[in-house]
Amino acid sequence: MFKGFTRFLQSPGAHLRSLFGPEEAAAGGRTGPRIIPRSDHPVSRQHFSEPALKVLYRLHNAGFEAFLVGGCIRDSLLGRMPKDFDVATDATPEQVRELFRNSRIIGRRFRIVHVRFGREVIEVTTFRGTHGDDHGDHIAQRSEEGLLLRDNVWGNIQEDALRRDFTVNALYYSIADFSIHDFTDGVHDIESRTLRLIGDPETRYREDPVRMLRAVRFAAKLDFHLAPATEAPIETLAPLLLQIPPARLFDEILKLFMAGHGVATFRLLRHYGLFAMLFPETDEALAELPWAEPLIEAALASTDQRIHEERPVTPAFLFAALLWGPAQQRQAALEADGMPPIPAQQAAAQQVISRQLQHISIPKRFSLPMRDIWELQQRLPKRGGKRAIQTREHPRFRAAYDFLLLREAAGELEPGLGDWWTAFQQGDDHERQRLLDKAGGDAGPANGRGRRRRPRKRRRRNAPPNSS
Ligand code: ATP
Ligand code: MG
């Protein structure tokens, strides 16, 4: 930790007293923010991107208040390089829009301005007022369950701080004097690595159930614990996630599983009963198939590792692992009813995906490659004739091969086929021929379904239920 900051953390009380006097410094009794001057915190403009600073300075020079807030300040205080920047201001979206040609207003439920600089987007939000107050314009709306439908009541910075989710996300860095404004004792919570919802936790989760997912995401990413009152209502309120539109949950899933902490996140989601609200069929399969959990964890671990190595990752692979258990169960049931394996797999895939889409929307650009990965699982054991060579040329071969290795490692399949394919890819022409000769007919060694020989003649194909 930085020297000045450590000093500050060791004597925050002394600091407070010098600024506000003892009564105001007492918890809850303070009326204004704790203001931490630049000399007492480690957050430096060097941590911020050029575009973020440009936005702050232009707002400031136009006479508006401008602060960096949220994850970028939290992460800087933790000694992590921030990855994106959120600006809070007293300028309205229209006023922000006028200052930046490269900007547009987005969102209805929550209107914000995106200012674009090449590939970087700076999110600018206008200070929100506390909802519940009737400002006469009725721009904040709630559903009967307390869900906040719209949140566009403007307010001041203090009100803005109180409607943010966690105390550690409500720290504001001022571009006017580089101080940090702390309205909710967020700095203390950073020091004790605590995630604490601002306000009454149950009300805040009801307003926006996605905050439960955010709690888990930050806990996993930052290695923080949840404050007891923040943790307590989650299990009971988890079903509120069923109200969230599938498109929003898809975005959230990417943040949960594609940010380098997927394994930890997955465990916490299950621990709090949240996973079942996102992937109900997978949750059931986890209870029934011994290999399902190791398979998903292995897929998440490999995604985490690739992210840390800055190698590309695709959600298709993860969704393939997450939904493979239910897809296999359904396929087995259809085969037991007499459907041949290939149409059974297609029908099972179709059914599992359409059930899942009721919870989380998976764009076609991910669900199609996911199905390819699944379909290739049936082709990988068949290596006779030119098949191995054709399979090897499939654009999704590599992902399907990686998936096969995970299935073997998870204990779904006996090992063997994965090694064959590893050798086949690495070998020269001579070695490949040797492997092909060894593989012989359709079924190779240990493909998981035994050395089942299928009749050469095709059975008359029952129309799969998904063919319409
Ligand atoms: P990261 O960007 O590292 O994932 P973040 O904290 O910046 O984390 P964002 O989703 O970028 O998260 O949101 C920016 C800020 O907006 C948050 O820090 C928080 O103050 C506020 N915020 C975001 N989502 C919510 C929410 N659902 N309820 C209340 N406040 C929120
Ligand atoms: Mg952010």
Side-chain angles (χ1 to χ4, degrees):
M1 190 78 60
F2 302 78
K3 218 167 125 215
F5 187 55
T6 313
R7 207 173 48 232
F8 162 71
L9 287 175
Q10 281 161 354
S11 58
H15 204 93
L16 268 179
R17 270 190 294 283
S18 68
L19 282 168
F20 303 108
E23 307 91 281
E24 279 173 326
R30 198 166 58 231
T31 51
R34 175 195 296 186
I35 295 177
I36 305 155
R38 174 65 189 94
S39 54
D40 285 353
H41 70 73
V43 177
S44 146
R45 275 168 294 168
Q46 285 172 2
H47 301 159
F48 306 141
S49 71
E50 200 65 35
L53 292 169
K54 247 190 209 159
V55 170
L56 290 170
Y57 277 119
R58 194 171 303 171
L59 284 166
H60 179 69
N61 292 336
F64 296 109
E65 290 181 62
F67 295 84
L68 278 173
V69 64
C72 59
I73 302 306
R74 177 197 72 217
D75 290 351
S76 305
L77 283 171
L78 288 165
R80 297 163 163 258
M81 215 51 190
K83 63 171 178 44
D84 59 33
F85 298 93
D86 301 299
V87 170
T89 178
D90 59 352
T92 63
E94 289 72 22
Q95 288 169 325
V96 177
R97 175 78 194 81
E98 270 169 35
L99 280 177
F100 300 96
R101 277 182 44 218
N102 48 337
S103 68
R104 61 196 190 103
I105 299 177
I106 62 152
R108 225 173 70 89
R109 182 180 160 278
F110 199 90
R111 285 170 71 220
I112 62 180
V113 187
H114 273 180
V115 188
R116 180 173 285 283
F117 297 84
R119 290 177 61 191
E120 187 169 345
V121 173
I122 307 297
E123 282 195 7
V124 184
T125 57
T126 304
F127 295 146
R128 253 71 177 176
T130 35
H131 9 81
D133 302 357
D134 192 347
H135 284 224
D137 48 8
H138 298 287
I139 311 177
Q141 292 180 358
R142 279 167 198 273
S143 74
E144 280 176 15
E145 293 82 21
L147 188 77
L148 207 52
L149 299 175
R150 289 229 219 157
D151 187 4
N152 290 313
V153 178
W154 311 141
N156 61 32
I157 183 172
Q158 169 139 4
E159 292 171 311
D160 189 74
L162 298 180
R163 52 140 290 279
R164 289 184 180 270
D165 49 5
F166 301 98
T167 61
V168 296
N169 284 347
L171 295 165
Y172 295 72
Y173 171 94
S174 163
I175 201 62
D177 61 4
F178 317 128
S179 60
I180 289 179
H181 298 216
D182 180 359
F183 297 84
T184 61
D185 277 343
V187 168
H188 270 140
D189 284 336
I190 286 200
E191 184 196 25
S192 62
R193 305 188 87 83
T194 307
L195 274 172
R196 190 189 312 278
L197 267 177
I198 298 167
D200 172 56
E202 181 165 341
T203 309
R204 302 304 312 279
Y205 288 137
R206 285 189 185 280
E207 279 174 1
D208 183 4
V210 169
R211 288 174 185 149
M212 295 186 273
L213 299 179
R214 290 174 61 85
V216 161
R217 175 157 71 87
F218 294 129
K221 167 180 160 175
L222 306 170
D223 195 17
F224 274 32
H225 68 274
L226 304 190
T230 296
E231 182 174 44
I234 295 184
E235 243 177 294
T236 315
L237 298 182
L240 294 176
L241 282 172
L242 301 173
Q243 303 171 5
I244 303 298
R248 183 164 178 221
L249 285 184
F250 175 74
D251 293 344
E252 220 43 54
I253 291 292
L254 293 191
K255 292 187 203 161
L256 286 163
F257 291 143
M258 309 281 290
H261 309 275
V263 176
T265 305
F266 174 65
R267 291 181 184 165
L268 285 176
L269 287 174
R270 291 185 73 197
H271 176 77
Y272 289 116
L274 295 165
F275 185 76
M277 303 302 144
L278 303 171
F279 293 92
E281 297 204 332
T282 305
D283 195 64
E284 282 170 30
L286 280 165
E288 288 156 21
L289 303 170
W291 49 262
E293 178 183 293
L295 178 76
I296 293 173
E297 292 217 345
L300 288 165
S302 110
T303 303
D304 288 350
Q305 191 184 344
R306 291 181 71 104
I307 289 168
H308 291 133
E309 291 166 358
E310 295 184 5
R311 288 157 68 199
V313 286
T314 165
F317 188 78
L318 258 181
F319 277 101
L322 283 163
L323 298 174
W324 180 245
Q328 286 290 77
Q329 285 179 317
R330 185 103 13 138
Q331 181 181 346
L334 292 170
E335 284 189 46
D337 284 348
M339 198 184 279
I342 292 183
Q345 188 187 47
Q346 286 171 356
Q350 180 77 26
Q351 289 171 21
V352 167
I353 292 169
S354 69
R355 297 280 287 266
Q356 183 60 38
L357 289 178
Q358 296 171 8
H359 298 272
I360 296 170
S361 57
I362 310 172
K364 282 248 157 53
R365 66 181 188 283
F366 300 127
S367 62
L368 293 178
M370 173 181 95
R371 292 187 65 156
D372 283 346
I373 292 170
W374 285 355
E375 276 171 37
L376 280 162
Q377 299 308 304
Q378 298 218 28
R379 281 171 58 178
L380 287 167
K382 301 172 185 169
R383 291 152 291 162
K386 290 198 166 54
R387 287 177 173 194
I389 292 157
Q390 284 165 353
T391 300
R392 172 78 184 85
E393 277 161 11
H394 192 287
R396 230 68 73 183
F397 166 77
R398 184 68 208 196
Y401 159 75
D402 286 341
F403 196 70
L404 173 71
L405 295 182
L406 294 190
R407 293 174 67 203
E408 290 189 348
E412 182 198 353
L413 302 179
E414 279 176 34
L417 188 57
D419 283 347
W420 188 94
W421 277 105
T422 307
F424 186 73
Q425 293 172 78
Q426 289 167 354
D428 55 16
D429 285 352
H430 179 74
E431 171 66 2
R432 278 178 198 218
Q433 195 51 54
R434 194 189 67 75
L435 286 161
L436 287 172
D437 292 344
K438 196 173 121 197
D442 272 356
N447 65 15
R449 291 183 179 262
R451 261 185 164 277
R452 198 166 48 178
R453 281 197 180 264
R454 291 202 193 95
R456 272 258 164 255
K457 224 174 74 189
R458 282 251 175 99
R459 287 172 56 167
R460 244 190 47 222
R461 200 158 175 261
N462 294 335
N466 64 328
S467 62
S468 56

